[in-house]
């Protein structure tokens, strides 16, 4: 993939954690490829030359943290391969079992769509699960506004930790009995990301 990208891009920055693989790649990749031997989770993306596109077949175990790290950087489009069930959570709708904290957090920052399913037989060695190719396009501004992003993300986390409880009971355990809030009789999986944002703003003065 790296060599193919190098044919079309002026510059490619490739991050690889495996030192042995990096040594092999030095003799293969074109001169317009910069190899960085490091864990992608520890790389400061803002210290790299400016990039606009991200392409990666990601290790499944870092899917969530690297996804949110990408969304903190400035890019125009990302095409990533994720485990199929992770990809389905990215694009899930409310009232489905796939709808999650991940869905809400990512949809606040970007638009996601599944481009294609990749069967496990396409890989060697063959993984135990199928994969999906996902396109991610960041919103120029967040999909909706909230008064405090950190509080919004924390509230989302707490609500989905108790997704089968009515919101009333989770709020009560965290902040006390506050009646003048919307959606108290619903469960978080019934709310759209915008509605969770609305709840966050109205709860913030009591936090």
């Amino acid at each position: 993939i790296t060599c193919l990208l190098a044919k079309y891009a002026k510059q490619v920055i490739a991050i690889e954690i495996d030192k042995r693989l990096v040594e092999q790649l030095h003799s293969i990749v074109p001169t317009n490829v910069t190899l960085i031997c490091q864990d992608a989770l520890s790389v400061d993306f803002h210290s790299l030359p400016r990039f606009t596109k991200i392409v990666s077949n990601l290790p499944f175990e870092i899917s969530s943290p690297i996804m949110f790290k990408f969304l903190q950087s400035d890019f125009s489009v990302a095409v990533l391969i994720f485990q199929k069930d992770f990809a389905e959570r990215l694009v899930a709708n409310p009232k489905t079992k796939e709808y999650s904290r991940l869905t809400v957090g990512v949809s606040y920052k970007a638009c996601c769509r599944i481009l294609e399913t990749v069967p496990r037989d396409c890989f060697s060695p063959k993984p135990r699960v199928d994969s999906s190719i996902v396109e991610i396009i960041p919103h120029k501004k967040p999909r909706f506004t909230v008064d405090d992003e950190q509080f919004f993300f924390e509230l989302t986390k707490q609500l989905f930790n108790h997704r089968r409880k009515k919101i009333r009971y989770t709020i009560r355990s965290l902040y006390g009995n506050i009646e003048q809030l919307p959606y108290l009789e619903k469960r978080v999986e019934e709310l759209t990301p915008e509605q969770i944002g609305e709840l966050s703003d109205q709860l913030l003065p009591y936090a």
Side-chain angles (χ1 to χ4, degrees):
I1 293 175
T2 303
C3 291
L4 183 62
L5 290 171
K7 292 181 180 180
Y8 299 95
K10 183 177 180 181
Q11 182 181 26
V12 176
I13 302 166
I15 301 172
E16 173 57 56
I17 194 172
D18 189 328
K19 293 181 179 179
R20 292 173 299 176
L21 183 53
V22 170
E23 290 173 1
Q24 296 173 18
L25 289 173
H26 273 298
S27 61
I28 299 172
V29 297
T31 56
N32 62 333
V33 175
T34 300
L35 288 171
I36 297 175
C37 185
Q38 201 171 336
D39 182 347
L41 288 175
S42 66
V43 173
D44 179 4
F45 291 161
H46 296 96
S47 69
L48 301 177
R50 185 175 181 273
F51 58 89
T52 58
K53 297 175 177 63
I54 303 170
V55 179
S56 184
N57 181 12
L58 295 159
F60 291 158
E61 64 269 17
I62 67 166
S63 294
S64 185
I66 196 67
M67 177 72 177
F68 282 105
K69 182 168 183 173
F70 286 153
L71 289 172
Q72 292 172 0
S73 60
D74 183 20
F75 66 95
S76 60
V77 62
V79 177
L80 309 170
I81 296 181
F82 291 117
Q83 186 171 321
K84 185 171 181 286
D85 66 347
F86 184 90
E88 289 171 345
R89 287 165 58 203
L90 288 175
V91 300
N93 292 315
K95 301 180 183 180
T96 63
K97 66 178 182 179
E98 292 82 14
Y99 188 62
S100 66
R101 169 193 174 197
L102 176 72
T103 317
V104 175
V106 172
S107 68
Y108 173 73
K109 293 279 191 178
C111 176
C112 300
R113 66 183 180 120
I114 295 175
L115 301 178
E116 187 176 344
T117 297
V118 185
R120 65 197 76 181
D121 293 337
C122 293
F123 297 93
S124 180
K126 182 169 71 172
R128 290 178 291 179
V129 295
D130 295 331
S131 302
S132 293
I133 302 174
V134 179
E135 178 189 67
I136 300 154
I137 300 177
H139 301 309
K140 291 183 178 179
K141 294 189 292 187
R143 174 175 159 181
F144 51 92
T145 59
V146 292
D147 294 335
D148 187 318
E149 282 191 8
Q150 185 175 351
F151 182 74
F152 165 66
F153 289 131
E154 180 60 27
L155 177 64
T156 302
K157 174 184 175 181
Q158 294 293 341
L159 292 175
F160 275 101
N161 282 345
H162 308 281
R163 63 182 297 147
R164 299 306 302 154
K165 283 186 177 182
K166 287 185 177 181
I167 289 171
R168 169 185 303 280
Y169 301 115
T170 304
I171 296 295
R172 181 184 295 169
S173 68
L174 294 170
Y175 303 103
N177 192 25
I178 306 169
E179 290 294 334
Q180 55 273 35
L181 294 173
Y183 314 120
L184 290 178
E185 296 305 312
K186 292 184 177 291
R187 295 177 174 86
V188 66
E189 59 194 14
E190 300 177 81
L191 302 187
T192 64
E194 290 89 345
Q195 288 172 326
I196 297 173
E198 178 189 354
L199 177 63
S200 170
D201 287 351
Q202 295 201 32
L203 180 60
L204 183 61
Y206 301 97

